[in-house]
Amino acid sequence: MIRVFSLLLAGLMFLSACTETSSPSSQLGADGLPLPKVYRIRNAGKVQFRMLDSVNSLRTAAGVAPVQMNAQLTAASATHSRDMSKQNRPWHFGSDGSSPIDRVQRAGYPGQMLGENISETYETELETLAAWMDEKGTREVLLDKAAVNMGFSWFQEPSGKIWWTLVMGG
């Protein structure tokens, strides 16, 4: 099982590298490390479905039923991604004090909110998914057996920083 996840994640990482913009590798930051490559989201319509397909591949490999994209959960995700950018911090509470449950209810989702994954990064959606799979808590959200719906969105700042939000519902 771990071998399947490892191979799948390696493949996702390889594919995600194909969409990054190129920048000279000689650019180093003050710490001597290479500066992050800025990933510019170009085909926004494809990003959501790449994430959905990738999540469902991981769920299938784990023996869990696939999920469907849900417009209300996606709206709640989009609202939170933009709000995290406005607050300039990745956390699960909105600037108005709202919780993930509050946002999902406001968006009109009739089911139960099961979990929310967030990220602040310059990386692709597939690199973000790989990072979520590496952490027990965020992996549990992605592979929740009770999940039937998924919402996924982002907000990209002019600097290139991306605020990702994924919500699972059942």
Side-chain angles (χ1 to χ4, degrees):
M1 184 64 85
I2 292 175
R3 181 193 287 163
V4 172
F5 279 112
S6 298
L7 290 172
L8 188 56
L9 286 175
L12 292 173
M13 294 293 286
F14 174 77
L15 288 175
S16 69
C18 297
T19 60
E20 291 186 39
T21 58
S22 60
S23 64
S25 60
S26 61
Q27 293 182 334
L28 301 177
D31 58 2
L33 297 174
L35 293 172
K37 293 179 182 177
V38 175
Y39 170 65
R40 295 283 178 194
I41 297 174
R42 300 201 192 292
N43 293 317
K46 294 182 180 179
V47 170
Q48 283 186 320
F49 292 103
R50 273 197 305 262
M51 181 61 92
L52 178 64
D53 290 345
S54 299
V55 166
N56 281 334
S57 293
L58 292 167
R59 289 176 63 85
T60 299
V64 182
V67 293
Q68 294 181 0
M69 191 65 74
N70 177 274
Q72 289 114 341
L73 294 178
T74 296
S77 297
T79 298
H80 192 55
S81 292
R82 185 173 292 278
D83 191 47
M84 285 190 297
S85 171
K86 183 174 132 184
Q87 296 181 70
N88 197 32
R89 62 178 168 182
W91 74 323
H92 293 282
F93 294 94
S95 56
D96 61 356
S98 62
S99 71
I101 294 170
D102 296 330
R103 289 188 297 275
V104 165
Q105 289 174 343
R106 283 184 201 161
Y109 183 67
Q112 179 184 11
M113 197 284 299
L114 299 173
E116 177 182 74
N117 288 348
I118 59 173
S119 180
E120 164 199 20
T121 185
Y122 290 91
E123 297 176 333
T124 69
E125 68 280 0
L126 298 180
E127 289 170 310
T128 301
L129 177 59
W132 285 338
M133 285 300 290
D134 282 342
E135 296 294 325
K136 183 180 186 284
T138 52
R139 181 176 54 248
E140 287 173 350
V141 169
L142 294 166
L143 302 179
D144 189 330
K145 291 178 181 175
V148 294
N149 296 121
M150 180 180 101
F152 175 69
S153 195
W154 64 90
F155 177 75
Q156 186 164 32
E157 296 177 353
S159 68
K161 183 188 288 187
I162 308 170
W163 302 84
W164 301 103
T165 306
L166 180 144
V167 178
M168 289 292 196

